Amino acid sequence: MDKITKRLQLIVLLCSLIPVTVQAQTARQIAQKAFSSVVLLAMEDANGQPISLGSGFFVREGVIATNLHVIEGAAKGYAKLVGQKTKYDIAGIAALDDNRDLVLLSIEGAKTPSLALGDSSLMAVGDEVYAVGNPQGLEGTFSQGIVSGIRRVGSDSILQITAPISPGSSGGPVLNSKGEVIGVSVATFSGGQNLNFAI
């Protein structure tokens, strides 16, 4: 083997040892990927009357994450992927965290990609974020902003964000610049300007 071939093999070997990191993506790329996993949640009472609309996203096949308050008081409901007509019945609750207003819902028959989870503890004020959801039932709304504050609530942190959210956005994912979920839209203060929060 000549020296050039040995050097090339060494370079290939060294390159294979470098850890692969997720690169930042454009807003368009993040939106396109998110829309394949984000759902509109429509909840109904025992008589089939609508009681709430919210958002959610797939965290694995057949499992959607959302806010617990989105499903409170509902007898049944369905999930519909952004931009699609097929409705998937909610089979039940897989897990819930009452303190953090989070719930995992089991969905029947849905085979969709899930969103990658990121590390919210790495977020800092000024970092870019994107909120995806269905504010006021406006399906597939994508908004951009920054982390404007990190608030302590007991032993947890809540991200204050400038990405606009409204009723109906609850339960939708908040993504970092790599398209990873770093929070779930949970609340907005209507009395203030751009005071939005993600758990």
Side-chain angles (χ1 to χ4, degrees):
M1 231 184 266
D2 62 14
K3 289 182 181 178
I4 294 175
T5 305
K6 285 183 180 178
R7 277 191 192 148
L8 286 173
Q9 286 180 336
L10 182 59
I11 290 169
V12 169
L13 177 63
L14 289 174
C15 287
S16 70
L17 297 175
I18 297 171
V20 177
T21 57
V22 179
Q23 298 296 316
Q25 300 175 28
T26 66
R28 179 184 286 193
Q29 290 171 323
I30 292 169
Q32 288 172 343
K33 185 173 182 183
F35 287 154
S36 66
S37 300
V38 173
V39 297
L40 169 74
L41 291 170
M43 307 309 298
E44 302 171 349
D45 64 17
N47 298 319
Q49 295 300 309
I51 58 171
S52 70
L53 287 176
S55 304
F57 58 98
F58 280 92
V59 291
R60 70 171 186 241
E61 189 174 304
V63 179
I64 289 173
T66 188
N67 288 134
L68 182 58
H69 75 257
V70 169
I71 68 163
E72 279 182 329
K76 59 183 177 177
Y78 66 84
K80 187 175 87 63
L81 283 163
V82 167
Q84 297 188 17
K85 293 181 179 178
T86 305
K87 296 176 181 177
Y88 300 99
D89 289 331
I90 297 171
I93 294 174
L96 66 85
D97 186 337
D98 197 18
N99 291 332
R100 293 180 179 89
D101 191 17
L102 295 172
V103 64
L104 296 178
L105 303 174
S106 297
I107 304 297
E108 295 178 343
K111 295 194 182 301
T112 60
S114 57
L115 291 177
L117 302 180
D119 187 347
S120 60
S121 68
L122 300 177
M123 299 303 289
V125 172
D127 285 351
E128 198 166 42
V129 292
Y130 304 92
V132 190
N134 309 290
Q136 304 293 347
L138 294 170
E139 197 175 315
T141 298
F142 183 84
S143 60
Q144 183 177 13
I146 62 167
V147 174
S148 56
I150 299 174
R151 309 295 173 201
R152 299 295 300 175
V153 178
S155 61
D156 291 321
S157 293
I158 290 184
L159 298 177
Q160 182 181 331
I161 60 174
T162 63
I165 61 173
S166 300
S169 298
S170 289
V174 176
L175 311 165
N176 62 16
S177 61
K178 298 175 183 177
E180 300 167 329
V181 179
I182 47 82
V184 178
S185 298
V186 69
T188 185
F189 284 131
S190 56
Q193 289 189 339
N194 226 1
L195 298 174
N196 310 302
F197 298 89
I199 187 74

